[in-house]
Amino acid sequence: GHYTVESPGSAARALTAGASSVNHFVGTPMTIGTAQYGLASGDFATVQTNLTASLGVVYSGTSLGLACTALPANSLTGKIALVSRGTCSFSTKIRNAQTAGAAAAVVVNNSAGDPVAMATDGTANQPTIPAYMASLADRPALMGLDGESATIGAAQSYFITDNVDILGSFSSQGPTDVDFRVKPDVVAPGVNVLSSIPNSYCGTDATSCFAFFQGTSMATPHLAGVAAVIKQQHPDWQAWEIRSAVVNTADADAVKSYVDGSTILHDVNIVGAGRVNLASATEASALLDPVSISFGATPSGAGVTKSYAVRITNGTDADATYALEIAVDGTAPAGVAFTVDTSSVTLDAGGSATFHVVATFSKGAPAGNDQAWLTVKDGSTMVAHAAVYALVK
């Protein structure tokens, strides 16, 4: 939710990452009839030989149950328990299924996208039965197969899916506390990211060692890598110029909601400038400081006008004229008008200029979040965009 971004990501000049999904995972196939479902494993046990058992759906009314409290004794004896993610730890759910006699457990994700690796909660008495995660999209089909024979395979498979660029449900959101700035700055891959890990984790005979991880801790190295490429191309650029190249060339309409996996997210305090695009960042020409414009909080009854200075630099080797406009993505702001004090700037190669984005608040403007985009065009080509944000209280 909003206001969940924390230090150091809340730092004004940090390059702050949101996390979105990569559409692949290595998982275990579960076969029921002619259908096959990809399951992700994690810290819990996995089957060593194919396991065939009846699927036992745990219900809460007509919904898939959470299994956060003890289940009826022997209600899952010899079955593969099917439960929902949410509310309590994975360890708790799987332990309750095991106590009820389950031979294995499958936890269905509560966020759109591919299944992810499940971690233990670190408590004593961890469950010992094999346990996996299934995707949210598979929930209706699996619930309809209650009592059917299911086989969890011992051999893993590589799954490629359509679940790309879906926001991680854990990804923190802005605005920042107190001064209400836009955060994160940009979104990068941070769900089901394949990463190398110490060889000791994969056994004494392993020659390489990899695992899938998720978190903004996976998204940040993607941004660091993009920044490193830009630094290599432009060793004389300052940090703010590199940051602008990374942020202000992002794909604005790429990140999708984790609720349904398809709705495009436009809220700048969820996705920042959008999903990072390395190819676009390497071609950055118009560099902006800061990378987003935030007018802070304004009382509804104030009826004031605020001005925000933005520096633009021509990062190319040729003269350029940049057209500056305000564009609305979705619903137009109510009670707030965003404008630019000049329609264009002409800059020599490497030259800079300062212009102002202006927010005019009508007296009695409705409370809420208002946003727009500052767009920078070279001719008809968009070369940069920056989030513009104001909070009316």
Side-chain angles (χ1 to χ4, degrees):
H2 283 173
Y3 302 99
T4 52
V5 65
E6 298 177 342
S7 178
S10 57
R13 300 185 74 80
L15 176 56
T16 305
S20 61
S21 64
V22 183
N23 59 328
H24 70 164
F25 68 101
V26 172
T28 299
M30 181 171 69
T31 304
I32 306 177
T34 59
Q36 188 179 86
Y37 304 91
L39 308 178
S41 58
D43 291 347
F44 299 96
T46 57
V47 300
Q48 301 305 302
T49 59
N50 290 359
L51 170 66
T52 299
S54 297
L55 189 67
V57 178
V58 175
Y59 285 97
S60 176
T62 58
S63 301
L64 187 60
L66 292 166
C68 288
T69 56
L71 301 171
N74 304 315
S75 60
L76 293 169
T77 299
K79 297 181 178 181
I80 299 171
L82 188 76
V83 302
S84 177
R85 180 183 184 181
T87 304
C88 61
S89 70
F90 296 124
S91 298
T92 299
K93 299 172 186 294
I94 298 164
R95 184 186 302 111
N96 286 335
Q98 178 174 320
T99 302
V106 174
V107 180
V108 179
N109 204 352
N110 58 0
S111 299
D114 295 327
V116 298
M118 298 185 296
T120 65
D121 60 8
T123 61
N125 189 31
Q126 287 295 318
T128 57
I129 60 173
Y132 303 86
M133 179 181 284
S135 71
L136 176 63
D138 289 337
R139 182 173 63 187
L142 290 174
M143 289 184 68
L145 295 169
D146 188 20
E148 296 292 322
S149 178
T151 298
I152 298 176
Q156 290 191 318
S157 299
Y158 181 63
F159 293 89
I160 300 177
T161 73
D162 296 326
N163 297 314
V164 67
D165 293 331
I166 299 172
L167 186 78
S169 60
F170 53 80
S171 190
S172 295
Q173 303 174 17
T176 59
D177 199 8
V178 181
D179 52 0
F180 309 103
R181 286 176 286 101
V182 170
K183 288 289 180 178
D185 294 306
V186 66
V187 173
V191 178
N192 274 345
V193 174
L194 185 62
S195 175
S196 60
I197 58 176
N199 224 37
S200 57
Y201 285 85
C202 295
T204 55
D205 297 328
T207 57
S208 62
C209 197
F210 294 86
F212 284 89
F213 294 96
Q214 32 277 326
T216 47
S217 294
M218 289 291 101
T220 49
H222 280 88
L223 294 188
V226 174
V229 171
I230 305 304
K231 179 67 173 175
Q232 184 182 46
Q233 289 185 313
H234 304 280
D236 57 332
W237 277 11
Q238 299 179 58
W240 71 266
E241 293 173 299
I242 296 172
R243 181 171 176 238
S244 176
V246 175
V247 174
N248 297 126
T249 61
D251 294 334
D253 295 322
V255 183
K256 294 168 282 191
S257 169
Y258 62 78
V259 176
D260 59 15
S262 60
T263 300
I264 298 296
L265 297 172
H266 298 285
D267 189 331
V268 297
N269 281 302
I270 296 178
V271 300
R275 195 253 296 115
V276 68
N277 184 323
L278 174 57
S280 297
T282 61
E283 299 174 358
S285 57
L287 308 173
L288 302 174
D289 186 25
V291 294
S292 61
I293 297 95
S294 298
F295 289 95
T298 300
S300 173
V304 296
T305 296
K306 295 182 176 181
S307 180
Y308 200 107
V310 180
R311 176 170 56 163
I312 183 171
T313 296
N314 177 1
T316 72
D317 296 328
D319 297 350
T321 297
Y322 298 116
L324 308 174
E325 298 177 358
I326 294 295
V328 174
D329 189 1
T331 305
V336 182
F338 297 115
T339 56
V340 187
D341 68 350
T342 184
S343 61
S344 66
V345 292
T346 299
L347 300 173
D348 298 336
S352 298
T354 298
F355 62 91
H356 293 81
V357 178
V358 179
T360 302
F361 298 81
S362 62
K363 198 170 183 64
N369 299 289
D370 295 289
Q371 67 177 56
W373 291 106
L374 167 68
T375 65
V376 183
K377 294 181 179 179
D378 185 349
S380 60
T381 302
M382 178 100 74
V383 293
H385 65 275
V388 181
Y389 171 72
L391 174 65
V392 178
K393 301 187 76 173

